Amino acid sequence: MSVVTNTTTIGAIELPSRRNTELMLLGFAVVIPIFAYANVGLAINGSLPPGMVLYGLGLGALAGVAHLVVRRYAKYADPLLLPLATLLNGLGLVLIWRLDQSDRLQNLAKRSYGAFSPSAPNQMLYTALAIALFAGVLLVLKDHRVLQRFTYISMVAALVLLLLPLVPGLGADVFGAKIWIRVAGFSIQPGEFAKIVLAVFFAGYLMVKRDALALASRRFMGLYLPRGRDLGPILVIWAMSLLILIFENDLGSSLLFFGMFVIMLYVATERTSWIVIGLLMSVGGAVVVASFSSHVGARVSAWLDPFGCWQRNGADAGACEQIAQSIMSFGSGGVLGAGWGQGNSDLIGFAANSDFIFSTVGEELGLTGVMAFLLIYGLIIERGVRTALAARDPFGKLFAIGLSGAFALQIFVVAGGVMGLIPLTGMTMPFLASGGSSVLANWILIAVLIRISDTARRPAPAPAPSPDAEMTQVVRPS
Amino acid sequence: MNKPLRRISLFCGLLVLALLIRTNWIQYVQAEDLSTRKENRRVQIAQYATERGNIIVAGQPITGSAVTDGSDYKFKRTYTDGPLWAPVTGYASQAFGSTQLESLEDGILTGNDDRLFFDRTIGMFTGEKKQGGNVVTTLNPEAQKAAFKALGNNKGAAAAIDPRTGAVLALVSTPSYDPSRFAGNSKDDEKAWVELKDSEDKNLVNRALRETYPPGSTFKVVTAAAALEHGVVKEINDPTDTPDPYFLPGTKTEMVNHASGCKEASLNEALRVSCNSVFANLGDKVTRDKMVETAEKFGFNNDKIDIPVRAFASVYDKKMGKDGNAQSSIGQFNTAATPLQMAMVTAAIANDGKLMKPYMVDHVTSPNLDIIEKHSAQEMSRPLSAANAQKVQEMMVNVVDKGTGTKAKINNVKVGGKTGTAQHGEGNKKRPYAWFISYAENPDGTSPVAVAVVIEDSEADREDISGGGLAAPVAKAVMEAVLKTQG
């Protein structure tokens, strides 16, 4: 470890690369899911699952590839992000495989669709694809600041992605929410990708406009109100998120995008008034929508009194029964849980391996397991925020905090939803839930964070000795 | 920009903290509530996830378990001779819950009882599957079969007790049902269940424990016991001061006798031919409160008779007037008794005045047949002295030898009994209930069996003849079966 001192204002303190730490942690992140897999097999069939070696090798190979790419192309990246994501993804695969074995879900699928197809093989395929994308991002994106150039293109791309499900013939209405598109037999949730693209736009836009937004404002009732032309974009985004909510019945995504924007705006301008304005706007919007949209209204009443509303509505209780079943899953897990493969979280029904996969954690791993998972997610968020703190350019800071904030909101919204803390919104638990879009998008997110942290922690190149150094002070924005 | 970043990180931390608090709330604080909610199917899934232990009669299981496919519940209850044993076992159905022994001993049968903790722990190490314990009953299969067969197609019930210990020997209710028919949760099961639940004959009701009937003349033995205990009658063969016709106290209503020679008849004679007037008169002399006292010692007005299945409380009204008390003394008016109650009355008299607490679970065992809990005979009360009990016995034997109960006679065995035909319905228009209570005596003076039989809807309408004609043969069959098996 050497400390390089020079005369520029950027401190070039070389941090240890920590690649070997990452490798060791990755070892754990691969071995723990393999044990979990063995455990499920023993609990359900009384024997080690036949695919265990293949699964172990597969997960190990994917982790290995990811590690090598990071080692080569993002040498100084945060060493925790990759192992944490690998661990979650690996355990998610085990959870999905475990739910594939459920007779109840198999019978349900046969009754509803005529056939049952296991989700775990697909998820494994998507994971492989996601790791490839992860590597691709790190290979192609040598410096995250390049993305600044795509600020307005990103905005257009995000809007297109968000509106795709509304295109007739392309969008698919699944269980009340129009957030999927179907292309050549694949279902894609464009919203998951829009999250990242939108963060690029916000970061790029705010970096440019932050001074205007922060300073050119009038004081009104203790709040700093910006000028109309600066306020325009936030109103557009707000309106957009509400439109998505109304037309696609997607409470979660609109909350996520709006929350992400408010967070980034606050960080960019350092004005608390944005938080207040944002909160007022989202509460107002949510109340209006909840009272007009029957889908959202049903979710709210299911949240307020799941058991009562289940009883009242009998056979077509839908959302109420799901929530009630989910809460009972958590409750039945107790402190230590029923054990992998030994719970009945499949009573929740068709969404058990997607929206409600966290209930299986709750029932089979208990309070202990849930807290462990929440802490793993918490650690990812913490590493993301740290990356934002460490980043040296405002774009990187905003980008990293936007992604981490969105990630944190998503965890909160999904886990809070299935635990009955807030109304259910039907988003996916990152890395755990079955679904290609989610896995792909979240691995890209991790790749971007790794790239930013690599740039942030990379020692500045030793400045070329300059003859003017004695005379000229270089002033740069911090 | 670092200050707002730190605040945002705090905010993200709060989000995670909120989730951590919530999970603690539902998985620790509320866990018990949530995991036992009635909506939570896990309770039942667990109940039927392992092979249930058995209910055993005379060394033979009368229950079993069958594996079911394509259902949430792995094992289904099966019953051998379901209709015969249903009043004893109750039922355990995947869809419709469980009752009676199946419900009360559920912890033992499923293996979840705390007393089986060590078995479960050892099983965890040896890799044995969780098993349920067994419930061993006191029932005598021969007596049960005899009663069931003798009741035949009649609507009715029989209860037999070993007076010396209180062990229940037979508990029959007809028409019965086969709990196997709705033990699962298929469409067929549901159909069978609905059919039985709504049946006019009330098949699911355990008439021996959960139906009270006016006991009619069989209640006269209680009145006789009260008269002797409270000194109203000293010698059973002394004439009483009963006029004929006898009017209910304070009214102009005549207490009609179906027997003749009741005027100033002695207690012995009055019981033999079943005089209503004499017992109404005696009940009035004993007074209401003392009648209540004696009846309660026999077990009336007690809503906590658990054998361990709870029997409905039999009633002797505590607040009626003098005329009501006189009517009640012959087992009419507000008096109502379960067949078990009348068996207890008979047993107390046969056991020289000592009423033993009735029970039908002899012991419960762990899956490997270690005895976990054994019932020991307990005295419940002493409704009458040994001397008075013997006097009542003498009169009851007289009833069987030379009175209304001759159909219960068994060769070479001393049998005491009492017939009854209880009127009921508005204006007593409905067909009366036929009753018979009796006990058999060993040569050494102890009694191995006391039995009470009731038959609803009897065809005959003459008092006593019907009780003696319809119900007595059932009681006889039970007593014979017990005497034969106990040698």
Side-chain angles (χ1 to χ4, degrees), chain A residues 104 330 362-363 397 419, chain B residues 2 7 22 27 42 72:
Chain A
R104 214 171 280 140
F330 279 97
E363 179 161 0
K397 270 187 189 301
M419 291 197 280
Chain B
N2 283 354
R7 288 206 181 133
R22 175 66 181 176
Q27 298 204 267
R42 287 168 189 81
D72 281 348

Side-chain angles (χ1 to χ4, degrees), chain B residues 344-371:
Chain B
M344 285 162 65
V345 167
T346 318
I349 292 164
N351 195 36
D352 289 345
K354 208 192 276 182
L355 176 59
M356 301 304 287
K357 192 174 179 303
Y359 68 99
M360 65 176 181
V361 173
D362 188 65
H363 56 275
V364 294
T365 74
S366 67
N368 55 15
L369 304 179
D370 291 339
I371 293 177

Side-chain angles (χ1 to χ4, degrees), chain B residues 320-342:
Chain B
M320 59 195 161
K322 271 169 87 79
D323 58 328
N325 178 49
Q327 281 187 71
S328 292
S329 300
I330 64 159
Q332 297 286 169
F333 196 60
N334 284 346
T335 312
T338 60
L340 177 77
Q341 174 60 58
M342 292 316 292

Side-chain angles (χ1 to χ4, degrees), chain A residues 39 82 139 157 171 200 204 225 240 330 336 401 413 433-434 437 475 478:
Chain A
N39 195 338
L82 180 61
L139 253 82
V200 174
L225 291 180
M240 208 175 69
F330 279 97
L336 291 175
I401 196 65
V413 166
S434 145
S437 320
V475 179
S478 66

Side-chain angles (χ1 to χ4, degrees), chain A residues 248-260:
Chain A
E248 298 181 1
N249 272 333
D250 190 2
L251 185 68
S253 296
S254 63
L255 190 86
L256 189 72
F257 298 147
F258 189 67
M260 182 167 85

Side-chain angles (χ1 to χ4, degrees), chain A residues 104 210 266 270 307 310 328-332 334-335 344 362-363 367 370-371 385 394 397 401 416 419-420, chain B residues 1-2 4-5 7-9 12 15 19-20 22-24 26-28 31 34 37 39-40 42 45 72:
Chain A
R104 214 171 280 140
R210 52 191 286 236
Y266 169 61
E270 307 192 17
F307 290 103
W310 181 11
M328 286 192 294
S329 251
F330 279 97
S332 303
V335 174
N344 289 296
E363 179 161 0
L367 175 61
V370 169
M371 295 217 286
V385 175
K397 270 187 189 301
I401 196 65
M419 291 197 280
Chain B
M1 291 207 275
N2 283 354
L5 276 179
R7 288 206 181 133
I8 293 297
S9 81
C12 292
L15 289 183
L19 293 175
L20 286 172
R22 175 66 181 176
T23 181
N24 273 280
I26 57 176
Q27 298 204 267
Y28 183 77
L34 288 169
R37 273 194 86 95
E39 292 95 342
N40 199 335
R42 287 168 189 81
I45 290 173
D72 281 348

Side-chain angles (χ1 to χ4, degrees), chain B residues 165 356-357 359 361-362 374-379:
Chain B
T165 57
M356 301 304 287
K357 192 174 179 303
Y359 68 99
V361 173
D362 188 65
K374 185 160 172 47
H375 183 93
S376 51
Q378 285 166 14
E379 188 180 322

